[in-house]
Amino acid sequence: MLRKFIGFVKSTKEDPLKRSMFLSALCKPIGMLISFLYTPVLLAYLGEESYGIWSTILSVINWITYFDVGIGQGLRNSLAKYITTGKEREANESVSTGYVALTVISSITFIIGSVLILAFNMGLVFNTTISLKPALMVSFSCICVNFVLGLSRSQLYATQQAEKVSIMTVLVQFINLVGICGLSVVSQGNLLAVALVIGFSGMIVNLLFSGGVWRKYPYLVPRFKNYRKQELNDVCSVGVKFFFIQIAALILYSTDNMIITQLFGPSYVTPYHTSYTAFGMINGLFAAMMSPLWSKYTVAMECKDYSWIMKSIITLDKVLPLVGLVLSAGIFLFEPLAKIWLRKELVYENGLIACMALYFFLQIWGSIYATVLNGIGHVNMQLVMGVSTALLNIPLSIFLGRNCGLRTTGVLLATIICMLITDIPITIHTHRFLNRIINEQKTGNL
């Protein structure tokens, strides 16, 4: 095993994909360490109720990142194709069109969102008496700016520099940790200050890496005059499908905090979110390794290298038993380690920890096939399954959580059921599709 690992590390010098996967994975333990330090610091600074509220605010505010009508994901695919074929002019038009379109969308979203925040009783929305509007406005404003600046990530993925996206994430986490530690010295429980630190950390890192991309690839610097309506249509032809898939994913994966807040109160979000953070680190490590593959699949599809795509899937499938073993161990180790980690004891609903482990196993399994289908632009199956489970998730969460008395465990169990409904069909569909085109290629019918 050690010999294979050493061989893999040496091979990264010649293979850009392996290098990107290795560096992305290497960043993850650093991010995990920062996250382990950050969570108890933020929990101690805000307290249980405010921490639960802040977790819910972030999950809601971050919804805006899904409202790009699929432009970010569509741009990632189109850019990868243009760069592979050396079409620099078309690449610039694609980037310019993406930035102009997202700036318009972000501006409209900011106006509408600001009016809603100022007009509605946020205490009622988040089930609390704590003053939220200043923190919400700051967070929302920063998210709107990062909504546009975040296109740098699509450019990094398209230029086969996925490891830099992982570095961006680590930098943001580090700035957040330092910022919250600084706040702990001068204040206590200030949601507005937390919003400022977390909002500006993302903006700084996005600007820094945007400049890096543009220096290395001058033809990717966006220019207003190069906006092309036709290019927007081309990007959005697949992008709109990505958009609806993102919205479905939003409902499936990002509404649990809000449902728990509304049904049981924000204090119930804290044990749910801390267990989610801990088990999510395994998923984050796997996702870091997977991140370079999306654009690589796009290039492979363009070059008709279908066999490589299938070999990649088979290799990733072999990792799943190890993932299951690690997550299973986490079920027994989480609570005693969490006491040390958080420096306090939280009350977890019966079955929540086991369900959290299963949740992330299913998410990792599904991500293998979703990444393939996203990369090759074959997303119709995901769209159908995503919309179907999104419609099912919220009523099922309410039924299992409130009506069946399972509380947070029931809310999570509803998501697990929806994930199973999705993972099994897209796994079968992906294998059938690739086997068909590989056979057609061998027989000369493709």
Side-chain angles (χ1 to χ4, degrees):
M1 181 68 74
L2 181 61
R3 188 178 301 169
K4 287 183 178 180
F5 177 74
I6 294 172
F8 177 83
V9 173
K10 289 181 177 178
S11 69
T12 60
K13 295 180 180 179
E14 292 79 31
D15 190 329
L17 176 62
K18 287 185 178 180
R19 182 169 61 251
S20 185
M21 293 178 69
F22 176 71
L23 291 175
S24 296
L26 191 62
C27 285
K28 200 59 197 178
I30 301 172
M32 289 167 63
L33 175 61
I34 295 172
S35 184
F36 264 110
L37 296 172
Y38 171 78
T39 300
V41 169
L42 184 60
L43 178 58
Y45 178 76
L46 290 177
E48 282 191 41
E49 182 180 3
S50 291
Y51 180 88
I53 292 168
W54 177 247
S55 300
T56 306
I57 287 175
L58 277 188
S59 67
V60 173
I61 290 291
N62 282 329
W63 291 353
I64 189 179
T65 59
Y66 293 88
F67 298 155
D68 66 350
V69 201
I71 290 173
Q73 308 293 19
L75 177 63
R76 177 175 175 174
N77 280 15
S78 65
L79 263 185
K81 293 177 183 177
Y82 288 143
I83 292 170
T84 300
T85 53
K87 297 179 179 179
E88 293 188 2
R89 179 178 61 81
E90 289 84 351
N92 183 263
E93 290 176 352
S94 185
V95 169
S96 301
T97 301
Y99 272 92
V100 171
L102 276 194
T103 299
V104 173
I105 294 171
S106 180
S107 300
I108 295 171
T109 303
F110 174 75
I111 294 170
I112 296 173
S114 299
V115 170
L116 292 175
I117 290 172
L118 295 173
F120 282 88
N121 184 341
M122 291 296 112
L124 186 62
V125 173
F126 289 92
N127 197 14
T128 183
T129 57
I130 297 174
S131 176
L132 299 178
K133 286 190 178 182
L136 274 169
M137 280 302 301
V138 168
S139 294
F140 185 65
S141 301
C142 292
I143 285 290
C144 286
V145 174
N146 284 320
F147 185 50
V148 180
L149 296 178
L151 280 180
S152 59
R153 295 172 184 254
S154 296
Q155 294 174 74
L156 287 169
Y157 282 128
T159 53
Q160 309 297 312
Q161 299 182 83
E163 70 279 4
K164 291 187 178 179
V165 177
S166 298
I167 293 171
M168 290 173 72
T169 302
V170 170
L171 278 176
V172 170
Q173 290 175 314
F174 178 74
I175 295 171
N176 289 343
L177 174 61
V178 172
I180 300 302
C181 287
L183 289 179
S184 301
V185 176
V186 298
S187 64
Q188 185 66 36
N190 191 328
L191 275 175
L192 177 58
V194 171
L196 285 166
V197 168
I198 293 176
F200 279 95
S201 65
M203 290 171 60
I204 291 167
V205 172
N206 275 326
L207 284 169
L208 179 66
F209 279 81
S210 293
V213 172
W214 297 336
R215 281 193 297 271
K216 188 172 183 179
Y217 301 94
Y219 63 88
L220 294 182
V221 177
R223 294 178 173 85
F224 181 79
K225 65 179 182 179
N226 286 342
Y227 170 84
R228 297 289 184 273
K229 184 178 179 180
Q230 181 55 47
E231 188 62 40
L232 183 61
N233 293 336
D234 293 341
V235 168
C236 288
S237 60
V238 175
V240 169
K241 294 179 181 178
F242 280 130
F243 170 67
F244 284 109
I245 291 171
Q246 287 174 317
I247 294 299
L250 167 67
I251 296 171
L252 184 59
Y253 300 125
S254 303
T255 54
D256 284 359
N257 283 355
M258 179 57 78
I259 293 171
I260 292 169
T261 296
Q262 287 298 316
L263 293 182
F264 315 117
S267 61
Y268 280 82
V269 175
T270 299
Y272 176 91
H273 187 74
T274 51
S275 60
Y276 182 95
T277 300
F279 281 93
M281 291 178 183
I282 305 300
N283 178 58
L285 180 61
F286 193 84
M289 295 178 63
M290 290 284 294
S291 60
L293 288 172
W294 178 323
S295 295
K296 188 66 177 178
Y297 289 142
T298 304
V299 173
M301 194 69 179
E302 190 75 9
C303 299
K304 296 182 172 24
D305 193 359
Y306 310 122
S307 296
W308 178 86
I309 297 175
M310 181 60 83
K311 288 178 184 176
S312 174
I313 294 173
I314 293 170
T315 300
L316 291 168
D317 280 342
K318 291 178 180 178
V319 181
L320 282 177
L322 177 61
V323 170
L325 186 63
V326 172
L327 288 170
S328 297
I331 296 173
F332 302 98
L333 296 173
F334 172 75
E335 290 198 56
L337 291 178
K339 293 178 186 177
I340 302 170
W341 170 39
L342 300 172
R343 298 193 291 273
K344 66 189 306 181
E345 187 172 357
L346 300 177
V347 178
Y348 301 92
E349 298 286 345
N350 291 333
L352 178 65
I353 306 305
C355 283
M356 195 64 76
L358 178 57
Y359 168 91
F360 279 108
F361 178 81
L362 294 176
Q363 192 167 85
I364 290 169
W365 167 18
S367 70
I368 294 174
Y369 293 92
T371 301
V372 175
L373 295 175
N374 290 341
I376 65 179
H378 198 82
V379 296
N380 289 341
M381 169 66 80
Q382 285 190 86
L383 180 59
V384 172
M385 299 308 302
V387 171
S388 301
T389 52
L391 294 172
L392 174 64
N393 183 54
I394 293 178
L396 187 59
S397 294
I398 294 171
F399 174 74
L400 292 177
R402 184 179 63 190
N403 297 13
C404 294
L406 297 176
R407 295 184 182 269
T408 54
T409 303
V411 173
L412 183 58
L413 188 58
T415 307
I416 288 171
I417 292 170
C418 292
M419 292 169 76
L420 271 172
I421 293 172
T422 301
D423 286 357
I424 295 172
I426 68 166
T427 299
I428 296 170
H429 171 75
T430 304
H431 279 281
R432 283 181 176 175
F433 172 73
L434 287 172
N435 283 327
R436 178 176 61 79
I437 59 176
I438 288 171
N439 290 332
E440 288 176 354
Q441 186 179 46
K442 288 179 179 178
T443 57
N445 295 325
L446 187 65

